Amino acid sequence: MDGARVYIIGAGPGAPDLITLRGLRALGQADLILHDRLVSTEFLRQTRNGVEIICTTELGQCPTRQNNIHHKMIEAALAGKTVVRLKGGDPGVFGHLQEEIEALQMGDIDYEIVPGISSALGVPLAAEIGLTARGSSRSFAVVTARTADGKTNTNLPKADTLIVLMGASNLPELVEQLSLAGWDSQTPTVIIERGIQPFERRVSATLCEISELAQSAHIRAPAVLVVGKIAKFSSRQRILFTGIDPAPFRHLGQIIHWPAIAVQPLDNTGNISSALRRLAHGQFGWVIITSKVSAELFLREVDKHNLDARIFAGAKLVVSGPGTASVLQENNLRADIVPEAEGSEGILQTFCQQQDGSGTVLLVQGANAPGTLSSGLSELGLTINRLSLHTVHAHPDLGSPLPEHDILYFSSPSGVKAFWNAYGITGFQRPIWCIGEVTCEQLRRIGIAAKVVSPYVSKKANAQASLL
Ligand code: SAH
């Protein structure tokens, strides 16, 4: 069939922005996405309208599941669909790649393989553990903890550093095998659960102590075990980041993503269509977008409605800060106004300074944002049409024991509220940083002092701001 093919893509080790560009482009072509359970559902939400998405766990239990995957891929490709088989990490590392290729060849289906970053490499590195180091690690080996029939792997290769996948559930047996293979009981060892994903947890110990510590910390799959001299965590400050997207914050320290809130898109079809129609007809003088999530969802709606950037031609674009501006920029849209102060306060100040404060505003804002911006703008004489494409709620996994950290970071008032409800004052035992004044104020209300550290300004500017 013309153009129909199967892409076997490595999705990377956890975060949705660790897929390759080639993988992302292929994902954009998909009519059907068949993804493994470990793949982040974040970027699946961003796929084109009408794409069929199936998690392979829906296709039965092992071993029939694998056959069902083959069948589904071939059936869809023969029907002329572009199929993406999306696998965690790299497709060639413990990923049934060989079976799937053979099945596609038997079915005479065209296919393309797109490499990904394996969790074996990416998960340790994100914890600042490079797998080679001059003098202490000249080689590394990646090994599975289990054989195909579920037994502990007894064939452990010799290397300076060993990375073990699928080892969380048989750790004691694995450690025993390592000792038998000659590994010193005092060898540094780390285990990282859900690496580069929300609620990642890390345990470090000597080889002989790791099982016990991992067990008492309830470490479960998916986890990567690293054994060898280099298996030590760095002393860089650990920041427990409670916001939705840690990407702009990673340079501030070691980020442990502990999202306090989760986004829930709202089904708001009628309102969206009417807002887009009015925008296309030049009925809004201003479009104000108050968060990255709002920007992403709004742009997706523009696309879904078969519209493009020209829809903004008659309006001025105002965003709440540099993060939201960057989402627009990725879509080749430049915000006309990016206020210096964080959030609604900055936007209001901007409008207060405007000569011409009149006009009709499309305000794209989360459903649980306070009404202050809307009422403030109305008082200035503007007509406000509010459009909410999402709401946020406390993350369902919030409340599990907090990992060790040096700094606690908040990027929104709703994050502060959710975190406070889950942990109370006992959650606030470390210095607190936050993104700006509005979040700082929310912390003040519960009696917590915080320092404003913006990821968008230089270290020097942050230091000066904290002196004021
Ligand atoms: N093809 C995948 C590996 C599949 S086997 C890759 O290249 O990464 C599945 C195993 O990978 C899990 O049992 C676990 O050991 C490891 N794994 C995958 N994602 C992980 C993550 N985010 N954190 C820790 N371990 C992970």
Side-chain angles (χ1 to χ4, degrees):
M1 191 80 48
D2 224 23
R5 72 189 66 175
V6 174
Y7 290 97
I8 303 178
I9 301 179
D17 55 355
L18 283 177
I19 192 171
T20 64
L21 273 180
R22 191 184 296 177
L24 199 61
R25 283 184 192 131
L27 206 58
Q29 313 279 311
D31 300 306
L32 167 67
I33 299 173
L34 270 173
H35 69 92
D36 284 349
R37 189 175 49 88
L38 285 183
V39 165
S40 167
T41 46
E42 264 309 298
F43 54 75
L44 297 177
R45 280 209 267 123
Q46 294 169 29
T47 47
R48 262 182 324 119
N49 223 2
V51 178
E52 190 185 0
I53 299 176
I54 301 176
C55 179
T56 52
T57 52
E58 295 166 35
L59 297 176
Q61 298 292 322
C62 289
T64 44
R65 178 189 298 164
Q66 196 57 47
N67 276 332
N68 292 344
I69 293 171
H70 301 166
H71 181 76
K72 194 85 202 168
M73 286 196 294
I74 293 169
E75 182 190 60
L78 287 177
K81 292 182 179 165
T82 298
V83 179
V84 162
R85 174 74 180 96
L86 193 61
K87 290 165 173 287
D90 182 86
V93 178
F94 306 125
H96 296 281
L97 178 67
Q98 212 51 44
E99 292 103 299
E100 293 183 13
I101 291 175
E102 276 165 23
L104 292 171
Q105 284 172 341
M106 296 267 286
D108 199 21
I109 307 289
D110 287 348
Y111 65 87
E112 183 177 332
I113 302 172
V114 183
I117 302 173
S118 175
S119 62
L121 308 183
V123 167
L125 187 60
E128 292 195 28
I129 299 174
L131 297 178
T132 64
R134 202 183 271 259
S136 52
S137 178
R138 293 192 184 89
S139 61
F140 63 83
V142 180
V143 61
T144 169
R146 302 167 168 283
T147 55
D149 53 6
K151 298 215 174 75
T152 301
N153 190 355
T154 55
N155 187 11
L156 300 172
K158 193 78 202 110
D160 289 341
T161 303
L162 207 59
I163 300 120
V164 188
L165 302 190
M166 295 177 272
S169 57
N170 62 336
L171 207 49
E173 294 88 340
L174 187 75
V175 169
E176 198 182 315
Q177 285 304 323
L178 286 166
S179 305
L180 289 174
W183 285 86
D184 189 295
S185 63
Q186 297 304 305
T187 310
T189 306
V190 306
I191 188 160
I192 304 169
E193 179 197 274
R194 292 204 259 188
I196 332 183
Q197 288 177 352
F199 303 103
E200 169 176 340
R201 296 186 312 144
R202 303 169 180 178
V203 171
S204 127
T206 56
L207 182 58
C208 64
E209 290 166 343
I210 194 77
S211 302
E212 208 181 311
L213 283 180
Q215 198 179 9
S216 53
H218 303 289
I219 295 288
R220 304 230 156 75
V224 170
L225 181 81
V226 186
V227 189
K229 279 190 197 145
I230 49 99
K232 288 181 183 152
F233 295 127
S234 84
S235 56
R236 192 175 179 202
Q237 62 186 4
R238 293 159 301 181
I239 303 176
L240 199 71
F241 177 76
T242 62
I244 291 169
D245 179 12
F249 301 84
R250 293 195 198 280
H251 66 282
L252 295 173
Q254 279 194 70
I255 294 289
I256 307 170
H257 191 195
W258 208 260
I261 49 177
V263 172
Q264 189 176 358
L266 289 175
D267 190 8
N268 211 346
T269 323
N271 290 344
I272 295 161
S273 302
S274 115
L276 290 177
R277 206 173 316 115
R278 291 183 62 191
L279 183 58
H281 285 108
Q283 291 177 16
F284 295 115
W286 303 92
V287 177
I288 303 178
I289 306 180
T290 66
S291 67
K292 285 169 80 167
V293 176
S294 283
E296 276 162 12
L297 292 173
F298 189 71
L299 292 174
R300 208 171 306 156
E301 288 300 333
V302 170
D303 189 48
K304 274 190 189 168
H305 283 76
N306 290 323
L307 296 161
D308 59 34
R310 286 171 292 179
I311 196 171
F312 296 101
K316 284 221 180 310
L317 265 170
V318 184
V319 295
S320 53
T324 313
S326 69
V327 174
L328 295 185
Q329 217 154 40
E330 279 164 21
N331 291 273
N332 296 321
L333 284 162
R334 215 171 283 275
D336 294 286
I337 300 172
V338 186
E340 265 174 35
E342 178 207 7
S344 44
E345 217 149 283
I347 294 174
L348 274 175
Q349 280 168 15
T350 305
F351 275 91
C352 283
Q353 289 154 9
Q354 287 284 325
Q355 298 292 330
D356 171 24
S358 66
T360 305
V361 174
L362 177 61
L363 174 61
V364 190
Q365 198 177 34
N368 39 6
T372 38
L373 179 57
S374 181
S375 55
L377 291 170
S378 298
E379 276 168 30
L380 291 173
L382 291 139
T383 308
I384 310 300
N385 292 264
R386 185 166 162 175
L387 177 67
S388 292
L389 301 174
H390 75 283
T391 181
V392 294
H393 52 76
H395 198 292
D397 292 346
L398 200 64
S400 44
L402 292 176
E404 281 181 31
H405 56 281
D406 304 302
I407 286 155
L408 178 61
Y409 195 105
F410 291 99
S411 61
S412 73
S414 48
V416 174
K417 282 185 221 160
F419 194 87
W420 173 260
N421 288 339
Y423 296 103
I425 193 69
T426 54
F428 293 80
Q429 301 302 313
R430 294 272 174 255
I432 318 290
W433 289 2
C434 66
I435 196 164
E437 261 317 307
V438 182
T439 309
C440 218
E441 175 56 30
Q442 182 65 41
L443 283 158
R444 234 174 272 133
R445 261 181 234 148
I446 55 170
I448 308 273
K451 176 176 160 185
V452 173
V453 178
S454 166
Y456 302 107
V457 300
S458 67
K459 262 190 187 164
K460 208 169 133 198
N462 272 322
Q464 278 167 356
S466 66
L467 289 177
L468 294 177

